[in-house]
Amino acid sequence: MTESSVHPALWPAPHASGPVDATVTVPGSKSVTNRALVLAALAAEPGWLRRPLRSRDTLLMAQALRAMGVGIEETVSSSSSATGGPDVTGEAWRVIPAGLHGPVTVDVGNAGTVMRFLPPVATLADGPVHFDGDPRSYERPLHGVIDALRTLGARIEDGERGSLPLTVHGAGALEGGPVRIDASASSQFVSALLLSAPRFNQGVEVRHVGSSLPSMPHIRMTVEMLRAVGAQVDEPETGGEPDVWRVSPSALLGRDLTIEPDLSNAQPFLAAALVTGGRVTVRDWPERTTQPGDALRELFTAMGGSCELTPQGLTFKGSGRIHGIDADLGEVGELTPGIAAVAALADSPSTLRGVAHLRLHETDRLAALTKEINELGGDVTETADGLHIRPRPLRGGVFHTYDDHRMATAGAIIGLVVPGVEIENVGTTAKTLPDFPDMWTGMLGAGA
């Protein structure tokens, strides 16, 4: 049986004939879109989400909230900027809160935000909410959320697995209060509890009691978005206790929110400039953001590029050389696949640290990156908490994705400079970047 008969069609990764020169528009942030959907669904009044990301993960979130009774209307709209800037036009979602109800079944796919953010919401529903998903979702940890919700007064049936499938028996309210959790496996455990906490009778006090928390920028994103809709949040960064977050019970405001571009999804396009010695501008890069992808400016500059932030966006230029890097990516773990791909093409070794939690993502990303880069001739070894990458001349071959969108984009980066790379199931990029293949070939066409 041939490879292509076992796996979805292979996509020949486009090869760059010279330096890339392009301007790209990256769709909205998945992390911001799904947090905004939850907060808008729990608000006391309707709100707008403008330029939301339409991808598998965000559509699963919207579908789940609709099933529980929330109104989400999709329109093409225009609104004047509150700061006197240009009008914001494009797709918008009008979110109309309603009484949450069961019985319903929610399909989480393999979306960490959906499987973790919605069980706390389901405790507020009147009736049972059953959660199920892709086979891989059964392997991803949920114990932090399940155990915490039980402590706070919820009734949950999960067969004592600490994972999907599970049923939350919503009682229309949750008592809330203090809870201790180990969120070292995923910062989403903390965010999940904080997002629904204003609707709990006592709010919540979340105390992390495990080893270091990964992906702290995502928790900061959650806190800022809560405050933007009127929630009171005390956190470590504002003088609170270390690893303790407190959210007071309150009504949430409906807001008119324009979603930022997804900076982590900008990574492959910036990497294209770096590995080809070219130039790429990503439109509308925010001056200030809590998105982990903003760290790419510093990381990719250290690997041999340079960048300039202007009112139009971020312009990144490659120098024609790629340097190895020694970096702790604990706060920005989702950037690891793209950085590993660039590091495999560098002129010196790289060590990527602080990302042991990636073994629990859409796939075991550390094992997957090691296997796929090595099968193209690379020299990657796993460490206890990351990867060590020694650059070697790479060759063409099949780059498997394991239904992981960031594996697909990592393979595409390598394919820019290594002829003959074929990406298995590039369609998995629809999880967060539905038009990736067309955007990728369009970027190369712009530089042709």
Side-chain angles (χ1 to χ4, degrees):
M1 187 175 288
T2 65
E3 188 76 44
S4 58
S5 67
V6 175
H7 298 285
L10 300 178
W11 183 65
H15 185 67
S17 58
V20 170
D21 187 355
T23 298
V24 299
T25 300
V26 178
S29 163
K30 176 203 74 174
S31 298
V32 174
T33 299
N34 273 356
R35 283 166 172 78
L37 278 169
V38 171
L39 292 173
L42 297 177
E45 57 192 353
W48 285 96
L49 275 62
R50 303 188 190 276
R51 295 182 182 169
L53 174 66
R54 282 183 58 87
S55 71
R56 187 184 186 214
D57 280 18
T58 61
L59 293 176
L60 284 168
M61 180 69 85
Q63 178 182 335
L65 291 169
R66 285 190 182 109
M68 285 189 276
V70 178
I72 302 177
E73 302 171 353
E74 301 182 36
T75 64
V76 176
S77 68
S78 173
S79 73
S80 296
S81 167
T83 59
D87 285 354
V88 176
T89 59
E91 185 168 2
W93 292 350
R94 173 91 165 152
V95 182
I96 304 169
L100 303 174
H101 64 76
V104 297
T105 295
V106 167
D107 176 12
V108 309
N110 191 20
T113 52
V114 182
M115 70 178 71
R116 291 164 181 153
F117 292 178
L118 287 188
V121 175
T123 67
L124 305 171
D126 183 11
V129 181
H130 182 67
F131 292 87
D132 209 336
D134 297 352
R136 171 62 180 173
S137 72
Y138 291 13
E139 303 171 16
R140 300 184 68 182
L142 267 176
H143 54 85
V145 174
I146 294 169
D147 294 346
L149 289 176
R150 285 179 174 145
T151 299
L152 297 174
R155 180 180 161 220
I156 300 174
E157 294 180 10
D158 69 332
E160 305 306 318
R161 292 180 304 273
S163 62
L164 292 172
L166 62 85
T167 300
V168 177
H169 291 273
L174 190 70
E175 189 59 24
V179 64
R180 296 162 63 90
I181 65 170
D182 181 352
S184 54
S186 175
S187 68
Q188 288 176 354
F189 295 170
V190 174
S191 288
L193 297 171
L194 299 184
L195 286 168
S196 293
R199 290 283 303 272
F200 299 164
N201 293 343
Q202 297 184 37
V204 79
E205 177 189 276
V206 179
R207 185 179 298 269
H208 167 63
V209 295
S211 56
S212 62
L213 266 170
S215 305
M216 278 296 296
H218 279 127
I219 297 180
R220 288 193 284 270
M221 177 187 294
T222 297
V223 169
E224 288 204 5
M225 292 184 69
L226 276 162
R227 288 174 174 159
V229 295
Q232 179 181 332
V233 187
D234 296 325
E235 60 168 334
E237 265 98 17
T238 55
E241 295 180 61
D243 290 343
V244 178
W245 292 261
R246 295 182 181 90
V247 180
S248 302
S250 67
L252 298 179
L253 305 173
R255 291 297 196 195
D256 190 323
L257 175 67
T258 300
I259 307 296
E260 297 175 352
D262 194 313
L263 306 188
S264 294
N265 278 341
Q267 181 182 34
F269 302 98
L270 301 181
L274 184 54
V275 303
T276 68
R279 176 179 62 183
V280 168
T281 297
V282 176
R283 290 192 181 99
D284 301 322
W285 194 286
E287 286 188 26
R288 180 187 175 277
T289 180
T290 53
Q291 289 192 59
D294 196 45
L296 289 167
R297 292 193 284 169
E298 179 180 348
L299 290 165
F300 276 172
T301 295
M303 298 186 82
S306 61
C307 64
E308 179 183 11
L309 186 61
T310 70
Q312 287 69 47
L314 181 74
T315 297
F316 191 86
K317 298 177 183 178
S319 63
R321 296 191 62 184
I322 309 166
H323 307 309
I325 192 172
D326 186 328
D328 185 337
L329 303 179
E331 291 205 346
V332 294
E334 65 195 50
L335 305 180
T336 303
I339 293 172
V342 172
L345 304 169
D347 59 10
S348 58
S350 294
T351 299
L352 310 181
R353 296 175 282 106
V355 288
H357 61 286
L358 295 188
R359 295 187 170 99
L360 302 172
H361 274 227
E362 282 81 347
T363 188
D364 179 340
R365 285 179 171 166
L366 300 185
L369 288 164
T370 299
K371 180 176 183 292
E372 297 310 312
I373 294 174
N374 286 351
E375 289 194 353
L376 299 183
D379 184 0
V380 181
T381 55
E382 283 192 59
T383 65
D385 70 339
L387 299 172
H388 186 63
I389 303 168
R390 302 172 187 82
R392 297 285 186 270
L394 300 183
R395 58 179 178 270
V398 175
F399 196 94
H400 299 91
T401 64
Y402 309 90
D403 294 324
D404 186 332
H405 55 132
R406 300 208 192 278
M407 288 295 296
T409 53
I413 293 167
I414 293 173
L416 283 176
V417 294
V418 178
V421 174
E422 295 181 295
I423 311 298
E424 172 261 333
N425 190 19
V426 73
T428 194
T429 53
K431 178 179 173 69
T432 59
L433 194 56
D435 298 326
F436 174 74
D438 289 342
M439 291 178 67
W440 199 245
T441 54
M443 171 191 69
L444 293 174

